[in-house]
């Protein structure tokens, strides 16, 4: 072999290695479906000449035979769309409800928290990319039938079940069934989500969900696309629908340096919330810490969070908190009418200082929330 | 000077000097830009060699006229290119890629290719060109001699940098000194040869560099985290680049582009401290091994009657210790530097050892999770003492490599301690000791009536902790894992996989492609070229193994890199020169190299067990010198032999560099963490054995 030929062979070998795994998988053909663990027919899908179209979230992936959608947990197998993480959560934990964060929903209670691998967004700062950017089949998972979810919650003395850690929308079928069963046993359901869901599935889901914390990641379509691979409008629609359907709602805004710490954008967001009737909805400005693909950025300075909080209060929002910063005065709940500290928080230590049956003991003003 | 080869000798010497400085600074810059693990190091070295190899191989295809102008251009490139290209590197990185985004190995390949790639290509092309130029003038083979001169150039500059400049000058000034020397050479020859064009060109290039470089070097313009920062201080230290700045009243510290912030979550500090204190029986002396920003000391100080020793590896923060008020407490003794050394120098016995360090994503950090470290820790524990390790993974999210890491570390601890248990709470922990353990891990809070924010008496309960921990362990697939050793760093392997997954890179690409090239080389390369290929592979692989051994024994990397490369060049230079003067049979030298490798395998094995401290450095240095001596001898012997058979030096040099590239990459990424130090060395013995057999078969 002369040198030219040698180099050609080397280049060809390199090209072979660069062929995407999906193409190889396609050549190998779709995986056999028979009795595969975690499979359940997807609720929101439509057959099209190009494959199955998933109608669960605004991504509306057109999924070819044997392939998975952007969320990695919905797969076209033999022309039908399957959710592949049913009853196989990858994370289980008992958390204080304040960790979600939900500050106005059953304070001091414990929430049985679970997640299935996968996510329909691709945030550069994802805190749990190990389980969100993979399929349920790529992680170690537990067997937890729908019935066992509320049983475990009861066993651990939890007042609620939280569908959290990853994006619960992508395990919609499991969340819906578990939430329905839990509701029948008087256990509440909490969804901690980015709110990136289509209208119909959301309206179907809302009756079994008691509370939600929605991550409003920024207030700019461009930032949503660049940072999270999503868009803003569907999230705003989710907020409106949840509020309209009586789900207790709290909003989190993660302040990422250089990405979402623009005070003008925060001002715009706060004014939108105040104008559209969300002034009673608690808003949490959360501190970013270096994670995943944004590990070179510094954590958000606490002063930035305090400035954002002040903007929100000035815009007319009543309950604004900062989070992920340790002990701070901005973690307490103050009565918007008289300014009395009604709930005090230090980490997970919560003391109800001046609240009785949802009213400030000092002035009698109703504090929005689900207290019992 | 018409027919003299003296100017060519200067050129070869400059080539060695320039490539050495450029390589050391390139490694440093790429380590800073790309997460600083061995994969980055191996890949950078591999790319370097690969481009040199391509340049050398390409030279063979065309005849070039030997013009003096080209020689002057070549000198200019050697002088100015490293400064220009390396200054351009951070600018390009932040211009082409999202500034805040962590980049993966493919971005490294791309950035190397547009910056140092062309320079390496020219360096590779230049060597056979200069040899052929000299051969044509004097009708004699100069390959071995020039190889020796090139290595000598690297050696001389290595001595200057390592002994003098590294302590006083930042990287940009090394390169400036190199550029000035090169310009002086160019000016001298331009004057002697009356090449007036260069008299105009040279000052223009110098003026451009003087204007442009300071601008490019201004990190505040391109580092994303320095945007809107105040009171920025940037320092080049022997450990890399240390940056501190203030934003909105908060002070931040970065080393090699990585934020030095430790574990920020107070809940994890509470868990590690109070879990450990609950497990140990009334501890009075506690050792904490962790980072400055972890909040453990504050938690520990809540206990009234304990003394705390703190081993802190964040040496760069030593000057900032006034920022950490906990350190001034009389009950706290701080020991700065490498925890392995601190252990070695201490005789203190502890009732509790708490460890909270980053992931073993480098061989250096892997040492703190190795069997040897756990054994060392056990020797410093009282009979009922507890070793409590915060695992550098989440307590809630377990991907496959995380699970593997937990199993590896659990198994390694089990080799040392009869009792050990996994605890899953908000974080993940491994506890070990010589007496039975339990899950009543909040009892110390209750007993001492401590005020805490995240853990409370009976929350979480012992039953919950036990149940959750067992459930997580049960979910892990039953895999057979090795124990994590310093010279068989399987935990590092798992961490590298995790990093590759994080940056979205295909981990198979990094072993499949090089392996295919090795096989193709074995099948298709002419015997002499394959002999040199095997020697090149051995040289870079061995160099890398030694880099790793230095880290294991001494715990630093950057400072060692220059010394190791320098030693290697000394061996190469002397060996190549000696081989040029004498006539050796390559097959005999190959056999001697094989014996040397076997000998060094035994030496390292002995050093690993005997813990002879600083003597290890001397012994390892001598071994490296002997191996590089043989590499130099072999280059001369093979090129002499090839000259007789009319094989061009470009092919041999190209094969050498290609072997070096693959050796660096495969050893760094797969072979070493996959099969360990000893089997890697054994692999080198086999590879050279194959080359020896092929050589003898050809002869027969």
């Amino acid at each position: 072999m002369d040198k030219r030929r040698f180099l050609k062979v080397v280049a060809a070998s390199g090209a072979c290695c660069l062929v995407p795994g999906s193409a190889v998988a396609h050549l190998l053909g779709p995986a056999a479906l028979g009795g595969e663990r975690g499979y359940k027919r997807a609720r929101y899908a439509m057959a099209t000449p190009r494959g199955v179209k998933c109608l669960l979230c605004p991504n509306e992936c057109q999924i070819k035979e044997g392939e998975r959608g952007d969320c990695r947990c919905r797969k076209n197998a033999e022309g039908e769309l399957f959710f592949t993480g049913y009853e196989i959560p990858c994370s289980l934990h008992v958390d204080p409800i304040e960790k979600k964060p939900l500050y106005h929903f059953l304070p001091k209670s414990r929430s049985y928290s679970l997640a299935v691998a996968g996510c329909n967004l691709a945030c550069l700062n994802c805190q749990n990319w190990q389980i969100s950017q993979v399929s349920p089949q790529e992680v170690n998972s537990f067997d937890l039938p729908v019935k066992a979810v509320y049983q475990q919650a009861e066993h651990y003395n939890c007042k609620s079940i939280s569908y959290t850690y990853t994006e619960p929308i992508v395990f919609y079928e499991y969340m819906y069934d578990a939430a329905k069963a839990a509701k029948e046993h008087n256990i509440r359901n909490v969804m901690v989500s980015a709110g990136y869901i289509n209208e119909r599935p959301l309206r179907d889901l809302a009756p079994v969900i008691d509370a939600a914390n929605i991550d409003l990641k920024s207030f700019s379509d461009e930032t949503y696309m660049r940072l999270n691979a999503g868009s803003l409008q569907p999230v705003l629609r989710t907020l409106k629908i949840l509020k309209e359907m009586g789900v207790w709602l709290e909003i989190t805004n993660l302040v990422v340096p250089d990405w979402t710490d623009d005070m003008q954008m925060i001002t715009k967001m706060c004014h939108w919330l105040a104008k559209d009737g969300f002034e009673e909805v608690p808003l949490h400005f959360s501190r970013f810490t270096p994670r995943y693909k944004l590990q070179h950025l510094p954590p958000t300075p606490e002063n930035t969070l305090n400035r954002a909080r002040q903007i929100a209060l000035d815009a007319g929002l009543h309950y604004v908190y900062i989070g992920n910063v340790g002990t701070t005065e901005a973690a307490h709940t103050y009565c918007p009418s008289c300014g009395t500290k009604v709930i005090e928080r230090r980490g997970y230590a919560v003391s109800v200082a001046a609240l009785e049956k949802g009213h400030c003991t000092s002035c009698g003003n109703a504090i929005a929330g689900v207290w019992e | 000077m018409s027919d003299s080869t003296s100017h060519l000798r200067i050129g070869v010497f400059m080539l060695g000097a320039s490539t050495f400085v450029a390589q050391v600074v390139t490694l440093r810059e790429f380590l800073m830009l790309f997460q600083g693990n061995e994969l980055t190091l191996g890949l950078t070295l591999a790319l370097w060699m690969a481009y040199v190899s391509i340049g050398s191989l390409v030279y063979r295809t065309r005849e070039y006229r030997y013009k003096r102008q080209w020689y002057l251009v070549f000198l200019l490139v050697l002088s100015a290119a490293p400064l220009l290209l390396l200054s351009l590197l951070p600018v390009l990185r932040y211009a082409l890629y999202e500034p805040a985004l962590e980049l993966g190995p493919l971005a490294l390949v791309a950035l190397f290719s547009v910056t140092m790639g062309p320079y390496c290509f020219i360096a590779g092309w230049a060597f056979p060109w200069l040899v052929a130029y000299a051969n044509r003038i004097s009708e004699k083979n100069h390959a071995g001699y020039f190889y020796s001169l090139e290595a000598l150039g690297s050696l001389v500059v290595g001595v200057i940098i390592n002994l003098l400049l590294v302590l006083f000058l930042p990287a940009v000034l090394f390169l400036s000194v190199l550029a000035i020397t090169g310009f002086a050479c160019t000016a001298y020859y331009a004057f002697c040869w009356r090449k007036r064009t260069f008299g105009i060109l040279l000052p223009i290039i110098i003026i451009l560099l003087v204007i442009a470089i300071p601008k490019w070097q201004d990190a505040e313009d391109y580092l994303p985290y320095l945007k809107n920062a105040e009171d920025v201080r940037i320092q080049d230290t022997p450990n890399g680049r240390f940056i501190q700045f203030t934003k909105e009243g908060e002070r931040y510290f970065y080393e090699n582009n990585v934020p030095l912030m430790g574990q920020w979550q107070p809940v994890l500090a509470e868990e590690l401290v109070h879990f450990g204190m609950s497990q140990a029986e009334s501890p009075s002396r506690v050792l904490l091994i962790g980072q400055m920003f972890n909040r453990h000391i504050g938690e520990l100080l809540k206990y009234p009657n304990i003394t705390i020793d703190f081993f802190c590896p964040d040496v760069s923060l030593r000057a900032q210790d006034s920022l950490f008020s906990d350190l001034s407490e009389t009950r706290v003794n701080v020991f700065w530097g490498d925890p392995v050394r601190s252990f070695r120098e201490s005789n203190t016995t502890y009732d509790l050892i708490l460890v909270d360090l980053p992931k073993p994503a480098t061989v250096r950090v892997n040492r703190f999770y190795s069997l040897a470290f756990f054994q060392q820790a056990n020797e410093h524990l009282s009979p009922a003492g507890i070793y409590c390790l915060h695992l550098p993974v989440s307590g809630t999210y377990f991907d496959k490599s995380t699970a593997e890491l937990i199993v590896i570390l659990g198994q390694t601890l089990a080799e040392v301690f009869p009792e050990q248990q996994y605890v899953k709470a908000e974080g993940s922990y491994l506890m070990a000791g010589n007496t039975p353990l339990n899950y009543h891990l909040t009892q110390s809070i209750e007993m001492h009536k401590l005020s805490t924010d995240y853990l409370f008496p009976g929350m979480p309960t012992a039953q919950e902790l036990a149940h959750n921990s067992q459930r997580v362990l049960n979910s892990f697939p039953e895999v057979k894992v090795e124990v994590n050793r310093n010279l068989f760093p399987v935990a590092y392997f798992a961490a590298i996989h995790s990093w590759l997954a994080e940056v979205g890179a295909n981990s198979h690409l990094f072993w499949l492609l090089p392996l295919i090239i090795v096989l193709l080389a074995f099948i298709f390369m002419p015997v002499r070229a394959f002999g040199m290929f095997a020697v090149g592979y051995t040289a870079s692989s061995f160099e890398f193994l030694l880099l790793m051994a230095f880290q294991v024994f001494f715990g630093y990397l950057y400072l060692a890199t220059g010394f190791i490369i320098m030693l290697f060049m000394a061996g190469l230079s002397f060996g190549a020169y000696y081989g040029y003067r004498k006539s050796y049979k390559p097959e005999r030298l190959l056999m001697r190299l094989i014996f040397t490798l076997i000998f060094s395998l035994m030496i390292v094995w002995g050093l690993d067990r005997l813990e002879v401290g600083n003597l290890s450095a001397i012994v390892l240095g001598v071994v490296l010198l002997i191996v590089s001596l043989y590499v130099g001898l072999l280059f001369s012997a093979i090129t002499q032999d090839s000259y007789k058979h009319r094989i061009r030096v470009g092919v041999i040099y190209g094969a050498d560099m290609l072997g070096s590239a693959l050796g660096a990459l495969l050893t760094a990424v797969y072979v070493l963490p996959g099969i360990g130090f000893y089997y890697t060395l054994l692999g080198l013995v086999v590879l050279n054995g194959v080359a020896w057999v092929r050589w003898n078969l050809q002869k027969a």
Side-chain angles (χ1 to χ4, degrees):
Chain A
M1 178 186 260
D2 65 11
K3 188 201 69 230
R4 270 170 199 272
R5 214 177 128 218
F6 177 73
L7 288 175
K8 273 183 193 168
V9 174
V10 169
S13 313
C16 287
C17 293
L18 289 167
V19 171
S22 57
V24 176
H26 190 69
L27 287 174
L28 294 174
L33 234 191
E36 214 165 324
R37 185 171 166 250
Y39 275 62
K40 167 125 183 162
R41 217 161 250 116
R43 282 179 66 153
Y44 301 96
M46 181 200 282
T48 77
R50 286 203 184 110
V52 187
K53 186 171 185 175
C54 177
L55 300 173
L56 179 61
C57 84
N59 287 340
E60 301 206 341
C61 303
Q62 196 95 33
I63 308 169
K64 290 188 179 132
E65 178 68 42
E67 291 185 359
R68 287 173 187 261
D70 289 346
C71 64
R72 299 175 181 83
C73 52
R74 279 159 203 279
K75 182 177 174 180
N76 178 346
E78 294 163 12
E80 274 195 87
L81 191 65
F82 284 85
F83 163 53
T84 64
Y86 195 73
E87 298 185 331
I88 51 166
C90 59
S91 296
L92 298 173
H93 200 69
V94 176
D95 288 329
I97 195 76
E98 284 75 17
K99 193 184 159 188
K100 301 300 135 196
L102 283 177
Y103 280 10
H104 291 229
F105 183 79
L106 306 177
K108 295 168 81 172
S109 71
R110 292 166 23 121
S111 188
Y112 187 73
S113 308
L114 62 92
V116 174
C119 184
N120 54 351
L121 296 178
C123 309
L124 297 176
N125 55 303
C126 184
Q127 300 213 12
N128 53 346
W129 60 271
Q130 299 95 328
I131 55 171
S132 71
Q133 301 303 310
V134 290
S135 72
Q137 278 62 41
E138 291 173 279
V139 291
N140 303 314
S141 50
F142 311 97
D143 283 309
L144 194 72
V146 161
K147 213 171 108 185
V149 177
Y150 72 80
Q151 286 172 345
Q152 287 281 303
E154 281 172 344
H155 174 79
Y156 284 111
N157 206 12
C158 296
K159 286 189 180 171
S160 63
I161 297 165
S162 290
Y163 309 93
T164 178
Y165 305 136
T166 55
E167 174 51 67
I169 287 164
V170 303
F171 57 91
Y172 185 96
E173 289 78 4
Y174 185 37
M175 171 168 61
Y176 183 87
D177 292 351
K180 202 172 159 206
K183 210 160 175 73
E184 285 162 11
H185 289 81
N186 291 324
I187 293 176
R188 320 264 182 113
N189 294 290
V190 172
M191 178 173 78
V192 181
S193 163
Y196 204 59
I197 184 171
N198 279 343
E199 184 168 350
R200 201 185 125 209
L202 179 63
R203 286 191 182 277
D204 291 347
L205 177 71
V208 293
I209 297 293
D210 298 283
N213 184 300
I214 299 297
D215 199 359
L216 182 53
K217 292 172 187 288
S218 69
F219 208 67
S220 142
D221 246 332
E222 193 200 335
T223 310
Y224 246 102
M225 185 51 73
R226 287 177 58 227
L227 183 63
N228 318 103
S231 56
L232 174 63
Q233 289 312 317
V235 185
L236 299 182
R237 183 183 61 208
T238 297
L239 294 176
K240 286 177 182 169
I241 293 172
L242 287 174
K243 189 166 165 290
E244 172 201 320
M245 296 191 71
V247 176
W248 174 252
L249 182 64
E250 301 196 18
I251 298 170
T252 297
N253 176 246
L254 181 74
V255 183
V256 184
D258 296 339
W259 287 90
T260 63
D261 63 348
D262 175 9
M263 291 299 152
Q264 278 184 337
M265 184 172 74
I266 289 173
T267 307
K268 210 169 132 192
M269 176 181 81
C270 295
H271 282 291
W272 182 87
L273 289 171
K275 192 173 77 82
D276 279 57
F278 291 90
E279 64 272 24
E280 293 283 298
V281 172
L283 172 63
H284 304 259
F285 287 108
S286 196
R287 183 184 211 191
F288 159 87
T289 53
R291 287 282 189 278
Y292 195 36
K293 296 187 176 177
L294 298 185
Q295 292 200 31
H296 298 313
L297 285 183
T300 322
E302 201 169 323
N303 280 346
T304 306
L305 299 173
N306 282 323
R307 278 202 290 145
R309 178 172 181 263
Q310 197 52 53
I311 287 171
L313 290 171
D314 292 346
L317 301 185
H318 292 170
Y319 309 103
V320 189
Y321 304 97
I322 67 170
N324 279 356
V325 289
T327 307
T328 162
E329 290 296 307
H332 310 317
T333 302
Y334 299 92
C335 172
S337 168
C338 67
T340 304
K341 191 193 290 176
V342 290
I343 301 178
E344 190 174 329
R345 298 182 186 86
R346 284 176 56 87
Y348 295 158
V350 181
S351 62
V352 179
L355 186 75
E356 217 174 272
K357 293 183 179 167
H359 289 79
C360 169
T361 52
S362 180
C363 69
N365 181 48
I367 307 294
V370 178
W371 307 109
E372 285 171 355
Chain B
M1 8 192 4
S2 59
D3 276 351
S4 161
T5 58
S6 66
H7 67 285
L8 297 177
R9 290 201 291 272
I10 297 281
V12 173
F13 185 87
M14 271 296 294
L15 178 66
S18 171
T19 49
F20 179 87
V21 180
Q23 197 179 70
V24 170
V25 181
T26 301
L27 283 175
R28 175 190 171 120
E29 294 298 315
F30 275 85
L31 276 173
M32 275 192 272
L33 288 182
F34 293 89
Q35 198 67 15
N37 55 34
E38 273 74 5
L39 176 57
T40 304
L41 196 68
L43 195 57
T44 310
L45 272 175
L47 286 168
W48 184 285
M49 308 290 185
Y51 275 104
V52 172
S53 167
I54 294 167
S56 182
L57 287 169
V58 163
Y59 170 75
R60 189 190 170 216
T61 58
R62 282 178 59 187
E63 286 291 341
Y64 288 93
R65 284 195 297 157
Y66 305 106
K67 282 187 177 175
R68 283 174 169 171
Q69 291 94 304
W70 287 115
Y71 179 75
L72 292 177
V73 170
F74 159 72
L75 277 185
L76 272 183
V77 168
L78 284 189
S79 322
L83 182 58
L84 198 69
L85 296 171
L86 283 168
S87 298
L88 204 58
L89 175 67
V91 181
L92 280 176
R93 181 260 176 266
Y94 292 107
L96 296 177
Y97 297 94
E98 178 59 54
L101 212 61
E102 192 184 346
L103 300 181
L106 288 179
L108 189 154
V109 174
L111 276 175
F112 189 96
S113 301
V114 296
T115 53
M116 294 315 285
Y119 167 81
C120 294
F121 178 88
I122 290 170
W125 184 88
F127 184 79
W129 177 67
L130 289 169
V131 171
Y133 197 170
N135 289 357
R136 197 185 67 117
I137 292 172
S138 62
E139 297 288 323
K140 190 178 158 195
N141 178 30
H142 281 72
Y145 178 45
F146 276 17
Y147 195 68
S148 153
L149 259 184
E150 189 196 3
L152 187 68
S154 302
L155 174 65
V156 170
V157 172
V159 170
I160 296 170
I161 285 182
N162 286 304
L163 300 183
L164 298 171
L165 299 188
V166 78
L167 299 174
F168 307 110
L169 292 185
V172 67
L173 288 179
F174 296 171
L175 298 170
S176 303
V177 171
L178 172 83
I180 291 165
T181 317
F183 291 150
C185 273
T186 316
Y188 172 74
Y189 284 116
F191 177 75
C192 290
W193 295 336
R194 297 174 196 281
K195 300 289 179 193
R196 289 193 188 121
T197 330
F198 284 85
I200 303 164
L201 191 62
L202 200 56
I204 294 174
I205 293 176
I206 293 171
I207 290 166
L208 283 177
L209 282 177
V210 168
I211 295 169
I213 303 300
K215 183 74 189 151
W216 286 333
Q217 283 297 311
D218 198 352
E220 288 169 60
D221 283 353
Y222 56 77
L223 286 177
Y225 48 82
L226 292 183
K227 200 172 150 191
N228 303 325
E230 293 159 9
D231 191 16
V232 180
R233 291 183 215 167
I234 302 172
Q235 248 179 302
D236 272 349
T237 72
N239 296 319
R241 187 166 296 154
F242 181 64
I243 299 179
Q244 47 177 314
F245 58 91
T246 302
K247 259 190 181 177
E248 300 236 12
E250 282 182 39
R251 195 83 181 142
Y252 295 98
F253 303 93
Y254 276 64
E255 190 166 65
N256 293 335
N257 258 357
V258 178
L260 292 176
M261 57 172 296
Q263 185 49 260
W264 63 277
Q265 286 177 284
V267 58
L268 298 179
E270 282 193 11
E271 283 186 347
L272 180 69
V273 168
H274 302 300
F275 285 179
M277 291 297 287
S278 299
Q279 192 73 258
E281 276 179 33
S282 6
S284 62
R285 192 154 196 129
V286 177
L287 170 64
L288 171 67
I289 305 173
Q291 294 174 282
M292 281 290 280
F293 290 91
N294 298 0
R295 305 178 182 204
H296 303 116
I297 292 182
E299 282 306 310
L300 279 167
L301 286 169
K302 289 180 181 172
Y303 292 88
N305 299 317
I306 59 166
T307 311
I308 304 151
D309 283 357
F310 176 33
F311 288 179
C312 182
D314 297 332
V315 185
S316 314
L317 291 175
R318 187 173 192 162
Q320 320 294 330
D321 61 354
S322 57
L323 292 174
F324 305 91
S325 57
D326 290 344
L327 300 186
S328 56
E329 287 280 333
T330 49
R331 289 193 286 146
V332 181
N333 310 305
V334 188
F335 299 85
W336 295 94
D338 181 34
V340 175
R341 277 197 163 184
S342 302
F343 251 148
R344 210 179 284 151
E345 288 158 12
S346 158
N347 295 317
T348 317
T349 302
Y350 299 99
D351 305 309
L352 175 63
I353 298 178
L354 302 171
V355 184
D356 188 3
L357 289 163
K359 262 190 180 184
T362 65
V363 174
R364 191 178 75 84
V365 181
N366 184 70
R367 296 149 71 237
F368 309 135
Y369 297 93
S370 72
L371 183 68
F373 192 73
F374 293 159
Q375 282 165 340
Q376 225 175 1
N378 197 17
E379 285 163 18
H380 287 79
L381 270 182
S382 60
I386 296 296
Y387 188 81
C388 189
L389 169 67
H390 173 229
L391 293 165
V393 297
S394 155
T396 315
Y397 323 129
F398 303 100
D399 63 335
K400 287 213 157 64
S401 57
T402 305
E404 194 186 339
L405 187 64
I406 294 173
V407 176
I408 288 169
L409 297 182
Q411 195 146 312
T412 309
L413 268 179
E415 289 278 312
V416 179
F417 298 95
E419 299 289 333
Q420 51 105 17
Q421 75 180 19
Y422 167 73
V423 180
K424 175 214 183 293
E426 286 270 336
S428 276
Y429 306 87
L430 278 169
M431 297 182 139
N434 299 300
T435 50
L437 307 171
N438 62 70
Y439 280 101
H440 296 282
L441 299 177
T442 54
Q443 60 187 3
S444 71
I445 300 174
E446 196 172 358
M447 200 186 296
H448 293 274
K449 296 187 169 53
L450 300 180
S451 161
T452 44
D453 293 342
Y454 296 91
L455 282 181
F456 308 103
M459 280 182 70
T461 65
Q463 188 206 2
E464 276 172 24
L465 283 173
H467 180 74
N468 290 339
S469 306
Q470 204 49 51
R471 188 167 55 186
V472 168
L473 289 181
N474 289 344
S475 77
F476 294 166
E478 292 225 351
V479 284
K480 194 178 174 296
V481 293
E482 295 287 338
V483 165
N484 187 39
R485 295 171 199 275
N486 280 335
L487 296 178
F488 194 165
V490 282
Y492 154 70
F493 198 35
I496 282 285
H497 269 262
S498 172
W499 180 66
L500 283 173
E502 190 178 328
V503 293
N506 181 355
S507 59
H508 298 302
L509 188 69
F510 295 99
W511 66 269
L512 198 57
L513 183 58
L515 198 68
I516 290 170
I517 302 174
V518 171
L519 288 174
L520 289 175
F522 171 69
I523 298 167
F524 296 110
M525 259 192 188
V527 67
R528 285 170 189 81
F530 183 71
M532 206 56 234
F533 174 87
V535 172
Y537 186 102
T538 307
S540 69
S541 186
F542 196 80
E543 201 177 347
F544 199 84
L545 286 177
L546 261 286
L547 269 176
M548 181 208 167
F550 263 84
Q551 282 191 83
V552 167
F553 294 132
F554 305 103
Y556 51 74
L557 175 64
Y558 177 63
L559 201 57
T561 313
F563 274 106
I564 289 170
I565 298 176
M566 188 181 88
L567 259 184
F568 196 77
M569 291 303 166
L572 274 190
S573 173
F574 187 70
Y577 185 71
Y578 201 68
Y580 169 74
R581 301 298 296 263
K582 305 267 177 189
S583 180
Y584 284 103
K585 289 192 172 170
E587 62 273 32
R588 284 196 187 165
L589 289 174
L590 261 177
M591 186 44 80
R592 284 185 207 165
L593 178 64
I594 291 168
F595 281 120
T596 309
L597 291 172
I598 296 170
F599 173 70
S600 54
L601 197 149
M602 285 155 40
I603 291 273
V604 176
W605 187 83
L607 290 177
D608 193 26
R609 270 147 191 81
L610 294 174
E611 282 199 14
V612 283
N614 289 339
L615 184 64
S616 306
I618 298 167
V619 177
L620 288 175
V622 171
V623 171
L624 180 69
L625 205 61
I626 297 172
V627 170
S628 57
L629 198 75
Y630 275 115
V631 173
L633 278 169
L634 268 159
F635 184 84
S636 282
I638 293 176
T639 45
Q640 293 286 12
D641 189 68
S642 305
Y643 188 69
K644 283 181 209 157
H645 292 84
R646 307 186 72 79
I647 298 171
R648 289 174 195 235
V649 71
V651 176
I652 302 300
Y653 192 64
D656 179 15
M657 290 298 134
L658 186 63
S660 302
L662 297 175
L665 185 60
L666 279 175
T667 304
V669 184
Y670 271 91
V671 184
L672 178 62
I675 62 174
F677 188 94
Y678 300 110
Y679 284 108
T680 306
L681 254 179
L682 212 58
L684 296 182
V685 172
V686 172
L687 181 68
N688 285 285
V690 170
W692 182 81
V693 170
R694 271 195 72 185
W695 196 292
N696 283 293
L697 283 176
Q698 175 99 352
K699 240 177 121 183

